[in-house]
Amino acid sequence: MRTQRQARAVRLGPRSLAALVLVSAVGVAGFGWPFLAPPDSRISAHAQDAPWLFAGLLVLLVAVVAAAISESGLGPKAVAMLGVLAAVGAALRPIGAGTAGIEPMFFLMVLSGRVLGPGFGFVLGSVTMFASALLTGGVGPWLPFQMLAMGWFAMAAGLLPGPDRLRGRAELALLAAYGFLAAFVYGTVMNLAGWPFMSALASNVAFDPHAPVPTNLARFLAYCLATSLGWDLGRAVVTAVLTLTLGPAVLRALRRATRRAAFETPVTFDAPPGEPGSEAPHMTRVTYEAGP
């Protein structure tokens, strides 16, 4: 049986990769500034303004997506694939309305990133979160953080080991384990985006800009345990269960679609026979590797 290498519908070239690194660095600062800035810094003095500042800076995420699309020469087939998967993911998000962490869109992001590669996964995660926010009315200063976090989530699925060799139950176990753990990471990262908005006078688990890092770290862990552990656990379990049950069928469908799309096959146009300057007609033959 011949193995099929991972598709690269969107390639992260030098410019788009540099933009991704830049925005990711801004994102890390935007998420983690409560632990990066010392208590006597000017950022801590503007604790209520900093999240809005970083949210504005993360609009650069749109530039990353545009750079990735323009540099990769994203063709109509890849655009169609992106549109279909983003629409499906956006439609899946309102199911359960986030109740107890029931968010089935996460398993689709894991499988899509696995099959279509990290570049496509990053673009898909970002676009899907943006589309779902428009669909559910969830547009706010948290949206750039959600787009970046979901882009990381889907991109990391494309970076998992063994895309050319690992198949069957071993692959499903790997994807389910990743989805389970990454769902917790996503929830924790998003807690960092909203936690600084809390007033220190309102709760003893809120961010205190005048407290040292160990104290704020303890407050943040208590905040996660008290507010989001149940939601993150539900999201993780749903992602793992859907990956194990629906994963085989979805993986086959995605791989069949990528084989037929042949994203990396160059397209050439020959002059019709009989026209001036045309040579003998010939047919360009495109071959596809057999999937599992």
Side-chain angles (χ1 to χ4, degrees):
M1 182 183 298
R2 299 178 64 185
T3 59
Q4 176 188 344
R5 61 190 179 91
Q6 191 179 49
R8 288 292 188 272
V10 174
R11 286 186 175 274
L12 292 177
R15 288 182 298 174
S16 56
L17 186 59
L20 174 59
V21 171
L22 173 62
V23 174
S24 295
V26 175
V28 170
F31 282 116
W33 70 266
F35 304 121
L36 299 175
D40 56 350
S41 67
R42 294 184 178 181
I43 293 181
S44 297
H46 296 275
Q48 297 301 315
D49 303 332
W52 294 87
L53 172 62
F54 284 116
L57 291 176
L58 285 179
V59 175
L60 290 173
L61 179 65
V62 179
V64 176
V65 176
I69 291 177
S70 62
E71 186 172 0
S72 65
L74 194 63
K77 293 180 290 186
V79 171
M81 178 77 75
L82 177 65
V84 169
L85 292 176
V88 173
L92 287 175
R93 191 182 182 195
I95 296 177
T99 303
I102 301 176
E103 296 177 281
M105 69 172 287
F106 280 78
F107 101 98
L108 180 62
M109 298 297 103
V110 172
L111 301 182
S112 299
R114 172 67 171 180
V115 174
L116 293 162
F120 190 93
F122 183 83
V123 176
L124 175 63
S126 304
V127 172
T128 302
M129 188 57 70
F130 179 76
S132 64
L134 296 180
L135 182 64
T136 60
V139 178
W142 54 84
L143 179 57
F145 293 96
Q146 288 179 324
M147 292 173 63
L148 182 59
M150 185 56 70
W152 286 341
F153 180 90
M155 180 179 68
L159 296 173
L160 292 175
D164 302 333
R165 300 176 302 276
L166 202 60
R167 291 289 187 270
R169 294 181 180 179
E171 182 181 36
L172 287 178
L174 174 66
L175 295 178
Y178 167 78
F180 185 87
L181 296 175
F184 277 103
V185 175
Y186 175 87
T188 303
V189 167
M190 287 310 304
N191 284 341
L192 281 172
W195 177 57
F197 278 107
M198 295 182 61
S199 172
L201 300 177
S203 172
N204 58 358
V205 298
F207 170 64
D208 185 356
H210 305 293
V213 171
T215 301
N216 275 323
L217 182 59
R219 284 171 171 259
F220 177 68
L221 293 177
Y223 171 80
C224 292
L225 292 175
T227 62
S228 67
L229 179 61
W231 292 71
D232 295 340
L233 178 61
R235 182 191 300 116
V237 171
V238 169
T239 302
V241 170
L242 290 179
T243 300
L244 292 173
T245 55
L246 302 181
V250 176
L251 286 173
R252 284 195 299 268
L254 289 173
R255 283 171 174 148
R256 186 182 303 113
T258 56
R259 287 197 303 270
R260 293 181 177 179
F263 296 115
E264 300 178 46
T265 302
V267 179
T268 58
F269 297 94
D270 299 327
E275 287 191 3
S278 65
E279 298 179 356
H282 64 279
M283 180 181 299
T284 301
R285 184 178 181 182
V286 180
T287 59
Y288 304 98
E289 295 182 353

